[in-house]
């Protein structure tokens, strides 16, 4: 029986897609209403633990892959083997493997960015799109560097450090400390993501005990997975400014799909103000704000997130009762 706080109780599956071995969780596979949930960094599929069972109980099939670079999915060491186009092709390959023609896609963090891009690369495969925290960004029409992006969006400054070998070493040598520091509700965060004195995520910073909102088996799963697999694959996502420009520059900037954007009031990396212009590019997008939430909105405020999901899905991908 599924225990949402025990990763071992989920239905783990594997598929070879787009040249890599991909891990994914597939719950309620007999449902004809599939959902694709996409995680971010430094997250894994289990970041959706408060949503998976909830959505299954509503009647949905819930498919939650480990993205390229994360968890049990292959993690090419070369950053050239990433980018939004490549990752979206991975996901399209997974849908082919599962013989799913169309699906509703829901993302968080990097997964939110992938959600919007998947809707642009594969509009014929999308019923609806939803993102938590990550707003839609128009594909760049001219190439810029990450440093230039940070000049405009200084809240992204941490990403420059995440591109360095020091960041990989920092995480790999302090996996437990890193996750115990980063996975906390906004009300219990101790200092910025990167220490301003040492310029480190975890090295040289005091350890913290696991927060009660991250159950013991869940924390153990993160630590075990990153200890075994290392941080490089996930960090490669921050080295994609060039690849993403090349792969996405010719995409149509307008997304004509039912869509929902849920922002977190206290998200320092992705503040709600960043989503203000989305209506210009995604006609009719539903906009919601979760008060008092930080970046880990999915488990900081699960009741609010699940309410928005239930109401949105009832309109765009309703479960039809069979008589």
């Amino acid at each position: 029986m599924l225990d949402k706080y025990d990763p071992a109780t989920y239905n783990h599956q594997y598929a070879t897609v787009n040249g890599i071995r991909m891990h994914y969780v597939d719950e309620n596979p007999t449902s004809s209403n599939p959902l694709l949930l996409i995680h971010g960094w430094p997250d894994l599929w289990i970041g959706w633990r408060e949503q998976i069972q909830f959505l299954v109980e509503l009647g949905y099939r819930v498919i939650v892959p480990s993205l390229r670079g994360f968890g049990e999915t292959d993690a090419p060491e070369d950053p050239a083997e990433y980018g939004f186009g490549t990752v979206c092709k991975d996901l399209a390959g997974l849908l082919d493997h599962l013989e799913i023609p169309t699906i509703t896609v829901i993302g968080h963090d990097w997964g939110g960015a992938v959600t919007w891009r998947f809707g642009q690369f594969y509009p014929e495969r999308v019923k609806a799109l939803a993102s938590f925290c990550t707003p839609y960004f128009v594909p760049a029409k001219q190439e810029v560097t990450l440093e230039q992006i940070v000049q405009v969006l200084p809240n992204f400054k941490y990403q420059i450090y995440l591109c360095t070998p020091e960041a990989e070493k920092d995480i790999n040598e302090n996996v437990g400390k890193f996750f115990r520091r980063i996975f906390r509700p906004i009300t219990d965060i101790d200092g910025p993501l990167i220490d301003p004195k040492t310029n480190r995520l975890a090295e040289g910073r005091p350890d913290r005990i696991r927060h009660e909102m991250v159950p013991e088996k869940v924390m153990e799963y993160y630590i075990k997975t990153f200890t075994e697999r290392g941080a490089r694959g996930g960090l490669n996502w921050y080295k994609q400014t060039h690849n993403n420009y090349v792969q996405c520059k010719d995409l149509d900037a307008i997304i004509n799909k039912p869509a929902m954007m849920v922002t977190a009031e206290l998200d320092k990396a992705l503040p709600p103000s960043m989503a203000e212009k989305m209506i210009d590019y995604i006609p009719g997008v539903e906009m919601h704000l979760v008060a008092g939430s930080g970046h880990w909105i999915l488990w900081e405020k699960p009741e609010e997130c699940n309410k928005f999901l239930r109401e949105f899905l009832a309109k765009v991908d309703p479960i039809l009762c069979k008589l």
Side-chain angles (χ1 to χ4, degrees), residues 200-216:
R200 293 292 184 268
L201 294 156
E203 180 186 336
R205 303 180 83 172
D207 201 353
R208 302 197 66 187
I209 62 170
R210 172 184 57 85
H211 194 278
E212 61 183 9
M213 293 187 77
V214 183
E216 186 174 4

Side-chain angles (χ1 to χ4, degrees), residues 254-320:
I254 306 299
I255 297 178
N256 286 302
K257 294 290 178 180
M260 178 176 70
M261 176 71 221
V262 181
T263 57
E265 180 190 17
L266 305 177
D267 190 334
K268 290 181 169 58
L270 298 164
S273 59
M274 295 181 72
E276 290 174 354
K277 304 267 183 163
M278 283 181 57
I279 190 67
D280 297 340
Y281 299 97
I282 309 178
V285 60
E286 286 189 22
M287 304 292 293
H288 300 286
L289 172 71
V290 175
S293 180
H295 185 66
W296 307 118
I297 188 172
L298 299 175
W299 50 263
E300 279 190 62
K301 301 288 184 178
E303 291 183 2
E304 290 92 327
C305 291
N306 292 349
K307 173 179 177 290
F308 290 137
L309 281 171
R310 183 182 66 248
E311 293 172 352
F312 178 66
L313 291 170
K315 289 178 282 190
V316 302
D317 195 0
I319 299 290
L320 300 178

Side-chain angles (χ1 to χ4, degrees), residues 57 146 192 215:
E57 290 173 354
L146 178 57

Side-chain angles (χ1 to χ4, degrees), residues 135-150:
Y136 169 72
F137 295 105
V138 177
K141 297 302 180 185
Q142 61 185 43
E143 187 161 13
V144 294
T145 65
L146 178 57
E147 287 75 14
Q148 289 173 310
I149 292 172
V150 169

Side-chain angles (χ1 to χ4, degrees), residues 63-302:
I63 301 160
V64 199
S66 297
L67 294 173
R68 175 182 292 246
F70 291 91
E72 293 183 71
T73 292
D74 286 349
E77 293 196 2
D78 186 352
E81 296 183 53
Y82 291 77
F84 287 136
T86 300
V87 172
C88 287
K89 190 175 180 181
D90 294 345
L91 297 174
L94 178 61
L95 297 185
D96 290 343
H97 171 77
L98 296 172
E99 300 182 342
I100 295 174
T102 58
I103 198 163
T104 294
V105 188
I106 306 167
H108 171 254
D109 189 80
W110 275 118
V114 172
T115 294
W116 303 124
R117 290 295 182 255
F118 190 84
Q120 293 169 295
F121 278 109
Y122 299 97
E124 74 284 357
R125 307 202 72 161
V126 169
K127 290 183 184 178
L129 303 165
S131 176
F132 290 86
C133 295
T134 310
Y136 169 72
F137 295 105
V138 177
K141 297 302 180 185
Q142 61 185 43
E143 187 161 13
V144 294
T145 65
L146 178 57
E147 287 75 14
Q148 289 173 310
I149 292 172
V150 169
Q151 288 179 0
V152 178
L153 298 171
N155 45 306
F156 282 3
K157 184 179 179 181
Y158 69 94
Q159 297 188 8
I160 294 175
Y161 175 63
L162 296 184
C163 292
T164 66
E166 289 79 14
E168 181 181 351
K169 180 174 181 287
D170 189 357
I171 296 173
N172 286 346
E173 294 182 357
N174 301 277
V175 174
K177 183 190 290 188
F178 169 68
F179 279 109
R180 285 187 291 272
R181 288 195 67 86
I182 198 171
F183 281 160
R184 313 189 80 82
I186 190 66
T187 52
D188 193 41
I189 291 290
D190 177 19
L193 176 66
I194 297 174
D195 189 299
K197 295 179 180 178
T198 63
N199 195 36
R200 293 292 184 268
L201 294 156
E203 180 186 336
R205 303 180 83 172
D207 201 353
R208 302 197 66 187
I209 62 170
R210 172 184 57 85
H211 194 278
E212 61 183 9
M213 293 187 77
V214 183
E216 186 174 4
K217 287 184 178 179
V218 172
M219 180 61 77
E220 289 174 352
Y221 183 80
Y222 280 108
I223 293 171
K224 180 176 184 291
T225 301
F226 272 77
T227 298
E228 292 176 350
R229 308 285 288 184
R232 180 172 300 182
L235 291 173
N236 275 340
W237 281 66
Y238 291 92
K239 304 170 186 176
Q240 299 307 309
T241 308
H242 171 72
N243 283 346
N244 287 335
Y245 163 70
V246 171
Q247 294 176 17
C248 302
K249 60 185 173 64
D250 296 324
L251 292 172
D252 186 345
I254 306 299
I255 297 178
N256 286 302
K257 294 290 178 180
M260 178 176 70
M261 176 71 221
V262 181
T263 57
E265 180 190 17
L266 305 177
D267 190 334
K268 290 181 169 58
L270 298 164
S273 59
M274 295 181 72
E276 290 174 354
K277 304 267 183 163
M278 283 181 57
I279 190 67
D280 297 340
Y281 299 97
I282 309 178
V285 60
E286 286 189 22
M287 304 292 293
H288 300 286
L289 172 71
V290 175
S293 180
H295 185 66
W296 307 118
I297 188 172
L298 299 175
W299 50 263
E300 279 190 62
K301 301 288 184 178

